[in-house]
Amino acid sequence: MATDKNKDIIYLPLENVDSEHCALIIDKKLAQIKGVETHKVELNNRRAAITVNNVEVVTEAIKTIKVLGYDVTTVKKTFPILGMSCASCSNSAQTIIQSQKGVVNAEVNFATGNLMVEYLPNITDAAKLQKALQSIGYNLLIENETLQQETLEAIHEQKIKTLKNKTIWAATLSLPVVIYGMFFMNAPFANEIMWAFSTPVVLWLGRNFFINAWKQAKHRSANMDTLVALSTGIAYTFSIFNMLFPEFWHTKGLHAHVYFEAAAVIITFILLGKLLEERAKGNTSTAIKKLMSLQSKTVIVIQADGTEKTTIIEEVTIGDTILVKPGDKIAVDGIVVSGNSYVDESMLSGEPVPIIKKENEKVFAGTINQKGSFQFKAVKVGKETMLAHIIKMVQDAQGSKAPVQKLVDKIAGIFVHTVIGIAIIAFIFWVILGDENAAVQGLLAAITVLVIACPCALGLATPTAIMVGIGKGAEKGILIKDAESLELAKKIDAIILDKTGTITEGKPEVTNIQWLNNNDNTRGILVSIEKQSEHPLAEAVVKHFDDTQVVQLVNFNSITGYGAKAVFNNETYFVGNKKLLKEYNIAVPDELQQQAEKWSKQAKIIIWFSDSKQALAVLAISDKIKNTSAQAIKEIQKMGIDLYMLTGDNEATAKAIANQIGIKHYKAEVLPQHKADFVKELQKQGKIVAMIGDGINDSAALATSDVSIAMGKGSDIAIEVAKITIISSDLSKISQTIKLSKQTVSTIQQNLFWAFIYNLIGIPIAAGVLYPINGFLLNPMIAGAAMALSSVSVVSNSLRLKWKR
């Protein structure tokens, strides 16, 4: 659902949401809450993203989620408040805390001087609450808080620990039930012993299945807990009836069997499955954990008097000067002010070679300093650093849904109800068509159908693969903004490449200049025009003539796609490409034309400088081709993808560069607006088009393409528009992105195939379809094991993506 960009998104961390079906149930209920304006449940990130029209609605949303049988990760704590002197103080303190974003509930007791607060750990923490109270004259006595992610990780670890304990106890208690059920059924008090051991397994260790199923039922909904509760509940209740009233069956000439072992073992296997699943799902988010671990906890800030002070990262502000020693992690984004060193940026860009950082060069949070030492000024801190943006982008992408998920969602929405229907039909068929033991066998078949059906495998098939795929991309320096782009990338059959900054380094330098009659008296005018121009080539000209004195111009005008013009001493001067001169009918002397043609054949960019009558100079600018470009283009061509290079350069320069890197298709003298037109032209031919660019002039073409890829060292606008960002700006990452897409989609297909086949084969067998053929009737205990392993196998298959090359 679209979100209102004017309102902050509130993220509610979810617990016990194990499948896409569970996510759909929550999403449906959030839609019904008055005041919830937008809502989206992200299964991978285990969170719900909502926007609301007032803070109280958040509490209502949390209550609704809990009523459904799920939970929201909140932290409940009690803190002493300092500085309160009367009852009205407690009211003021309570009001300010309740108004804070992320606070679910808050009560201040004046008698005890304590604040009891419940809050969302991913939105706020004790330090923020302390600042809020300090703003109105009170204080909160707190100890050092762990970071919010660590809080959530601790809660997840506690959940795994609890599941582990439950599984061990369930297995321990179920073992004697199985032994008695299989070998000592006729021993004295066998039924009573099995009942005694199975009761704590079903009613205590498995109580959450029944509690959640009841909560679902109250809202006319159903999920996996419903299936488990129904199957084990029926088996357990039926067994108690048979234990207490065996004569009911004896009078009909039948033996009163009990199925305590089935109920206990089903609970045990499903708890084991959930434990394995939680551990596996924890592994799918290792990319985020790795990125989080790059964040420093403390830094050394240089004070105004030159002294060093160790400061926690939260207290660093823009403008602080930070000292980086050998081996230190760089804590925030900034610019080097003194010293130099090599910095390892592989964790962000995927490039293994450390990069030299000198004065006035940028450094980024999360990167690691090597042997040198330097000081830098903090430019971006907190959520504004590049690392923080990468973490958020990866989290958002992992929370997005692939198009194939829409079909799965529809199936998941009706899956549980369908299974219950099949179980009832199976029971009726057994009763009608079976022998004298048909009722018991029908009941067992119904239980087995309920147990074996696995909506979790369906729900986890796509999101776990997407999560691992996007995480793997992030580790390689490939940031994918949404699941749709990752899924579509495998279908790319045409790639359009911008030249400057994509194929080339994007660092143009003036290599040659020829003045008409060797007269450079107008050099100051040339430099003055280029100084006002925004074009990257203009910067190269200014840099080349850095010792030239500028003059005062009037009527400066930038002409997109051509160049620029300005007036000096009543004469109009032009700087730009050949088309600019043609447009204004400016003559080009032969000596300059011949020199320009010679340089063009050397793959150099040609810039003309003229007055209103004739060209006064021609300049050659070289933009070095990246070392990896030629090899990267070969790899892409091996995949059978058509490559097109678009450039604003003249025909000769474009041809020379295309020949150097092995591109067959190229277009020269292309204006920015025509790039998007060319994308549409290829799309009309039925091609899936990827556009790769780095500049503002590429943004329209990026937005038009099917898959848009921006170079990370390019403009912010290009990166914002693009769906995929290559942090290192290395073209070799393109083939890696396409391979990753193919691997991820292949994994999704395998997962869905397994999930569908498992249910399509398993449910009919459980219903007893083989019984008339060979007398085979599936044991409910075996069905429980199969169900537990089905979702684990899907998650494990997704994890295989990590190790694929």
Side-chain angles (χ1 to χ4, degrees):
M1 178 173 282
T3 55
D4 182 355
K5 292 189 177 178
N6 296 321
K7 295 200 173 184
D8 288 333
I9 298 171
I10 296 167
Y11 294 103
L12 307 178
L14 300 174
E15 292 178 37
N16 306 322
V17 180
D18 298 316
S19 72
E20 198 63 40
H21 180 54
C22 299
L24 286 169
I25 291 169
I26 294 172
D27 199 50
K28 194 175 177 182
K29 284 295 175 186
L30 288 174
Q32 296 170 10
I33 300 172
K34 192 176 179 182
V36 172
E37 297 184 346
T38 66
H39 52 90
K40 176 187 173 189
V41 179
E42 300 174 357
L43 176 64
N44 280 336
N45 293 329
R46 296 196 188 108
R47 68 186 187 184
I50 62 172
T51 58
V52 297
N53 57 18
N54 69 72
V55 178
E56 291 173 3
V57 178
V58 177
T59 306
E60 182 63 28
I62 291 170
K63 282 180 185 174
T64 302
I65 292 167
K66 288 185 176 182
V67 165
L68 286 170
Y70 306 105
D71 211 349
V72 176
T73 305
T74 59
V75 174
K76 293 180 182 177
K77 286 197 174 180
T78 301
F79 300 105
I81 296 180
L82 308 177
M84 291 195 299
S85 58
C86 64
S88 63
C89 294
S90 64
N91 289 335
S92 300
Q94 184 169 307
T95 303
I96 192 76
I97 294 294
Q98 285 175 335
S99 67
Q100 297 306 299
K101 187 180 174 185
V103 171
V104 177
N105 191 30
E107 290 180 12
V108 175
N109 187 318
F110 177 64
T112 60
N114 283 342
L115 161 70
M116 289 184 290
V117 62
E118 183 181 6
Y119 61 86
L120 297 166
N122 60 315
I123 295 177
T124 192
D125 54 32
K128 289 177 183 175
L129 301 180
Q130 184 185 48
K131 282 184 180 178
L133 282 173
Q134 287 171 343
S135 70
I136 56 169
Y138 310 118
N139 204 350
L140 201 65
L141 190 61
I142 60 171
E143 297 175 354
N144 288 331
E145 280 282 307
T146 56
L147 292 172
Q148 52 174 272
Q149 186 65 23
E150 289 173 357
T151 304
L152 294 171
E153 284 297 323
I155 290 165
H156 182 62
E157 286 300 318
Q158 183 58 43
K159 184 179 179 182
I160 289 176
K161 188 179 177 182
T162 303
L163 266 174
K164 185 180 176 182
N165 290 336
K166 279 187 175 183
T167 306
I168 291 168
W169 273 107
T172 305
L173 292 168
S174 296
L175 186 61
V177 183
V178 173
I179 292 169
Y180 262 88
M182 293 180 72
F183 305 110
F184 304 106
M185 280 188 70
N186 298 318
F189 304 107
N191 289 352
E192 287 78 4
I193 290 168
M194 286 190 285
W195 169 76
F197 277 99
S198 65
T199 297
V201 177
V202 176
L203 300 183
W204 179 248
L205 299 171
R207 69 189 184 280
N208 285 343
F209 296 118
F210 295 94
I211 292 167
N212 293 336
W214 174 244
K215 287 178 178 179
Q216 292 286 326
K218 284 196 293 185
H219 291 271
R220 296 180 182 178
S221 189
N223 65 2
M224 196 196 84
D225 292 329
T226 309
L227 299 179
V228 176
L230 276 174
S231 56
T232 56
I234 291 168
Y236 180 75
T237 307
F238 183 65
S239 299
I240 289 176
F241 177 83
N242 288 358
M243 179 181 72
L244 297 176
F245 308 106
E247 63 277 2
F248 177 83
W249 298 105
H250 293 163
T251 56
K252 298 178 188 296
L254 299 171
H255 185 70
H257 284 287
V258 293
Y259 297 97
F260 290 120
E261 77 280 5
V265 171
I266 288 166
I267 294 284
T268 302
F269 274 133
I270 289 167
L271 286 172
L272 175 63
K274 277 186 168 288
L275 173 64
L276 296 173
E277 190 182 308
E278 281 299 321
R279 281 184 170 169
K281 282 197 288 188
N283 288 333
T284 62
S285 60
T286 50
I288 288 289
K289 290 174 188 171
K290 283 181 183 176
L291 288 168
M292 293 281 191
S293 70
L294 297 175
Q295 294 174 317
S296 297
K297 301 284 192 295
T298 59
V299 294
I300 299 170
V301 176
I302 306 296
Q303 304 295 297
D305 59 0
T307 58
E308 298 176 6
K309 181 187 176 186
T310 301
T311 307
I312 60 170
I313 189 70
E314 289 80 8
E315 293 181 5
V316 175
T317 57
I318 293 170
D320 281 352
T321 301
I322 296 167
L323 173 66
V324 182
K325 294 180 178 178
D328 281 357
K329 280 182 187 173
I330 293 167
V332 296
D333 293 1
I335 294 175
V336 178
V337 292
S338 67
N340 62 77
S341 179
Y342 281 92
V343 174
D344 179 6
E345 294 186 345
S346 60
M347 59 293 300
L348 297 185
S349 66
E351 295 303 311
V353 182
I355 298 164
I356 185 70
K357 297 291 181 180
K358 296 178 282 190
E359 205 170 315
N360 295 322
E361 294 203 348
K362 292 178 182 178
V363 290
F364 301 101
T367 56
I368 300 171
N369 183 32
Q370 301 292 286
K371 294 180 180 178
S373 180
F374 61 89
Q375 293 180 13
F376 74 93
K377 185 169 75 174
V379 174
K380 290 180 180 178
V381 299
K383 292 180 181 178
E384 298 305 313
T385 65
M386 184 180 180
L387 177 61
H389 280 299
I390 290 171
I391 291 169
K392 186 176 187 309
M393 195 185 289
V394 172
Q395 280 180 327
D396 289 345
Q398 289 182 336
S400 65
K401 288 184 182 180
V404 71
Q405 186 68 29
K406 291 172 186 174
L407 172 64
V408 179
D409 286 351
K410 286 180 183 177
I411 295 167
I414 59 168
F415 185 86
V416 175
H417 300 86
T418 305
V419 168
I420 293 170
I422 292 169
I424 293 167
I425 291 166
F427 176 73
I428 293 168
F429 264 82
W430 271 97
V431 171
I432 295 170
L433 303 174
D435 53 24
E436 71 279 354
N437 212 23
V440 176
Q441 288 175 323
L443 197 63
L444 279 177
I447 289 167
T448 310
V449 168
L450 293 170
V451 171
I452 203 165
C454 189
C456 291
L458 275 175
L460 293 168
T462 303
T464 51
I466 291 292
M467 197 169 189
V468 175
I470 286 170
K472 186 178 178 181
E475 289 173 6
K476 290 178 174 290
I478 303 163
L479 294 184
I480 301 161
K481 282 188 183 176
D482 59 37
E484 188 173 354
S485 300
L486 180 60
E487 189 179 331
L488 193 59
K490 76 177 282 286
K491 298 178 183 176
I492 293 169
D493 51 17
I495 293 178
I496 299 171
L497 298 165
D498 172 54
K499 179 186 72 74
T500 306
T502 302
I503 294 170
T504 63
E505 293 282 2
K507 296 175 183 175
E509 294 177 352
V510 175
T511 56
N512 312 88
I513 183 165
Q514 171 90 32
W515 292 93
L516 182 62
N517 302 324
N518 292 321
N519 182 359
D520 66 349
N521 291 340
T522 51
R523 184 167 63 172
I525 301 168
L526 166 65
V527 175
S528 301
I529 294 173
E530 293 290 55
K531 213 157 197 177
Q532 292 190 47
S533 174
E534 296 172 351
H535 200 283
L537 296 181
E539 194 179 327
V541 175
V542 173
K543 194 175 178 183
H544 184 76
F545 295 110
D546 59 348
D547 58 345
T548 301
Q549 192 169 353
V550 296
V551 298
Q552 191 67 40
L553 301 171
V554 294
N555 297 334
F556 174 84
N557 185 19
S558 179
I559 308 163
T560 304
Y562 292 87
K565 66 175 182 175
V567 176
F568 178 72
N569 285 347
N570 297 319
E571 175 63 66
T572 303
Y573 292 90
F574 300 84
V575 181
N577 55 28
K578 190 73 174 287
K579 285 193 289 185
L580 180 67
L581 303 190
K582 286 180 181 177
E583 183 75 19
Y584 288 90
N585 297 317
I586 295 166
V588 178
D590 288 342
E591 63 175 287
L592 297 185
Q593 180 61 41
Q594 288 168 9
Q595 191 61 62
E597 287 171 3
K598 181 183 174 184
W599 290 335
S600 288
K601 288 173 185 176
Q602 297 170 10
K604 293 181 179 179
I605 303 163
I606 305 302
I607 299 289
W608 296 90
F609 172 55
S610 75
D611 57 21
S612 57
K613 300 180 188 67
Q614 64 175 352
L616 303 176
V618 61
L619 296 84
I621 294 178
S622 178
D623 188 6
K624 187 185 170 189
I625 293 170
K626 291 175 188 173
N627 295 331
T628 56
S629 289
Q631 183 58 36
I633 283 160
K634 277 183 189 173
E635 286 174 11
I636 294 168
Q637 286 171 334
K638 279 180 187 175
M639 293 177 166
I641 296 169
D642 294 331
L643 280 170
Y644 302 85
M645 182 185 78
L646 303 186
T647 177
D649 297 339
N650 61 51
E651 176 70 23
T653 304
K655 186 179 180 181
I657 289 175
N659 288 338
Q660 279 186 42
I661 56 176
I663 287 184
K664 295 174 186 174
H665 311 292
Y666 66 88
K667 285 176 83 79
E669 299 181 3
V670 179
L671 297 175
Q673 59 266 35
H674 295 155
K675 289 182 181 179
D677 293 337
F678 186 65
V679 171
K680 290 175 186 174
E681 190 181 311
L682 291 178
Q683 287 171 333
K684 282 177 185 175
Q685 296 171 23
K687 292 184 182 292
I688 303 295
V689 182
M691 172 69 198
I692 305 171
D694 75 322
I696 294 170
N697 62 344
D698 299 319
S699 55
L702 286 167
T704 309
S705 64
D706 298 295
V707 180
S708 47
I709 304 173
M711 292 299 174
K713 293 178 181 175
S715 76
D716 290 343
I717 291 174
I719 293 167
E720 184 66 30
V721 170
K723 296 292 186 182
I724 298 172
T725 301
I726 308 298
I727 297 176
S728 65
S729 296
D730 181 356
L731 268 182
S732 64
K733 301 286 183 185
I734 303 302
S735 57
Q736 290 180 27
T737 304
I738 296 167
K739 282 176 189 171
L740 180 62
S741 171
K742 287 178 179 178
Q743 289 171 352
T744 305
V745 172
S746 175
T747 302
I748 290 170
Q749 289 167 346
Q750 290 164 13
N751 287 350
L752 287 174
F753 176 80
W754 164 248
F756 277 112
I757 288 296
Y758 164 81
N759 283 296
L760 285 172
I761 294 174
I763 291 172
I765 291 173
V769 76
L770 294 178
Y771 189 79
I773 301 166
N774 56 16
F776 179 78
L777 192 59
L778 189 64
N779 189 309
M781 291 188 289
I782 305 299
M787 184 269 191
L789 291 172
S790 63
S791 53
V792 175
S793 64
V794 163
V795 179
S796 301
N797 190 47
S798 295
L799 286 171
R800 285 177 56 243
L801 256 178
K802 281 186 177 185
W803 299 288
K804 284 187 180 178
R805 297 185 67 182

